[in-house]
Amino acid sequence: MQLLGHLGALLVIIVWGETFVSSKVLLNAGLMPADIFFYRFVLAYALIWCVSYKRLWARSIKDELVFLGLGVMGGSLYFLVENMALVYSFASNVSILVSSCPLITAMLLAIFYKNERLNKKQIAGSLLAFVGMIMVVLNGQLILHLNPKGDALALGAAITWAFYSLLMKVVMHHYDSWFITRKVFFYGLLSILPYYALVEPLNTDISILSQPAVYGNLLYLGIVASMLCYVLWNWCLSKLGAVKATNYLYLQSLCTMLFAWLILHERITWMAITGALILILGMVRAEKK
């Protein structure tokens, strides 16, 4: 079962690594980040009802509040903060800071759960993977430009996803992955509504949404990257534990780089290749108990 958990986490990260390319296509078509989040989550929520429809509510108000937190931390707040960071800072800065999530998750879990604490070899492996990930993201660029506001938002995105992993431990052994994911989508959508009312209305331009490239990528993001991958990721968290599963997020930047090379024809340097090897070595070390 552990092997299936590792394979599942790897598959999710490969898909999530590609979503940056799909999102770029949608942004170039005229959709805003909040629009992309809304349409993909609505589609995923509608489809997941076909599988998870028998149970409406959690077994207690406390658990229902945990699901609310999951919807905010792993849904609306995470996507908003991450994409707002891209407005104020460079993509490389944002990618590096958001990818610090496994380290933040490990620290939070070590505070609240003694059985999730890392040993020295795992800490060394995690730091090595983080260094490799930075080299992949920089991809030959040796200078980072500091933008305090954007960088703080990017770090905030990493913290929100770390709290998502922390909250998941409360419910992941008491509910099935389909029910948990449905709740995450519901509260993610519910908590994004004030943003449309107070900040920016939802883009409902039919001329944009009817473009094949737009609805094709939205279908992919909603069905594969959201519904299927969130269900699988939540299942992997229950099988591997939050620390082991979250370590796979280090690979996301590597997957994004490969898809950007294949689809967008972006370059790959020797620095990125070296970083990829260091990243994989660090991950292998971090996964060993």
Side-chain angles (χ1 to χ4, degrees):
M1 197 60 74
Q2 282 255 324
L3 177 60
L4 290 176
H6 286 291
L7 291 174
L10 180 60
L11 178 60
V12 169
I13 293 307
I14 291 172
V15 173
W16 282 353
E18 194 282 333
T19 58
F20 288 94
V21 177
S22 290
S23 295
K24 190 169 184 178
V25 172
L26 294 173
L27 289 169
N28 290 338
L31 292 180
M32 299 299 291
D35 303 327
I36 299 171
F37 165 79
F38 181 82
Y39 288 121
R40 66 184 282 186
F41 263 48
V42 163
L43 178 60
Y45 183 66
L47 290 174
I48 205 169
W49 264 104
C50 299
V51 180
S52 176
Y53 56 87
K54 293 182 179 180
R55 185 173 191 170
L56 292 179
W57 305 104
R59 61 183 184 178
S60 67
I61 295 176
K62 176 187 173 183
D63 284 359
E64 200 66 38
L65 290 174
V66 171
F67 285 125
L68 170 61
L70 287 168
V72 173
M73 294 299 178
S76 57
L77 184 60
Y78 171 77
F79 280 95
L80 280 177
V81 173
E82 181 185 59
N83 287 298
M84 285 173 64
L86 288 169
V87 175
Y88 298 105
S89 187
F90 292 90
S92 56
N93 295 43
V94 174
S95 183
I96 289 171
L97 289 167
V98 169
S99 294
S100 67
C101 176
L103 292 176
I104 298 172
T105 301
M107 288 188 291
L108 284 175
L109 289 170
I111 294 171
F112 291 100
Y113 298 95
K114 291 182 179 180
N115 64 323
E116 289 279 10
R117 290 177 181 174
L118 301 180
N119 58 39
K120 291 181 180 179
K121 288 184 179 180
Q122 288 176 305
I123 293 172
S126 294
L127 292 174
L128 190 63
F130 185 63
V131 170
M133 181 275 305
I134 291 175
M135 294 176 68
V136 169
V137 171
L138 290 177
N139 198 13
Q141 299 178 17
L142 299 178
I143 299 176
L144 276 178
H145 302 278
L146 297 179
N147 301 85
K149 187 174 183 179
D151 294 344
L153 286 167
L155 185 60
I159 293 172
T160 59
W161 191 262
F163 272 103
Y164 176 84
S165 301
L166 189 67
L167 288 172
M168 187 62 69
K169 283 187 67 68
V170 179
V171 296
M172 65 186 184
H173 296 302
H174 303 292
Y175 303 91
D176 65 79
S177 296
W178 292 99
F179 178 79
I180 292 173
T181 307
R182 197 192 80 210
K183 282 292 185 181
V184 170
F185 291 156
F186 173 74
Y187 284 116
L189 288 169
L190 189 66
S191 56
I192 196 71
L193 295 180
Y195 177 85
Y196 297 121
L198 300 174
V199 182
E200 186 176 30
L202 178 68
N203 187 338
T204 57
D205 190 341
I206 300 300
S207 63
I208 294 177
L209 296 175
S210 61
Q211 295 175 24
V214 172
Y215 67 71
N217 277 285
L218 284 175
L219 286 172
Y220 170 76
L221 291 174
I223 298 171
V224 181
S226 292
M227 187 189 78
L228 296 178
C229 281
Y230 264 77
V231 170
L232 183 55
W233 182 256
N234 293 337
W235 179 82
C236 291
L237 283 173
S238 67
K239 299 304 175 185
L240 299 178
V243 172
K244 281 190 174 183
T246 308
N247 272 339
Y248 276 92
L249 290 173
Y250 285 129
L251 288 174
Q252 185 167 282
S253 57
L254 174 59
C255 295
T256 301
M257 178 187 71
L258 292 174
F259 281 116
W261 173 66
L262 286 170
I263 300 173
L264 302 177
H265 307 294
E266 295 184 3
R267 71 188 184 103
I268 296 178
T269 67
W270 282 107
M271 180 180 181
I273 295 172
T274 304
L277 296 174
I278 294 173
L279 191 161
I280 294 169
L281 177 63
M283 274 202 62
V284 171
R285 188 178 180 86
E287 291 294 320
K288 290 183 178 181
K289 194 68 174 174

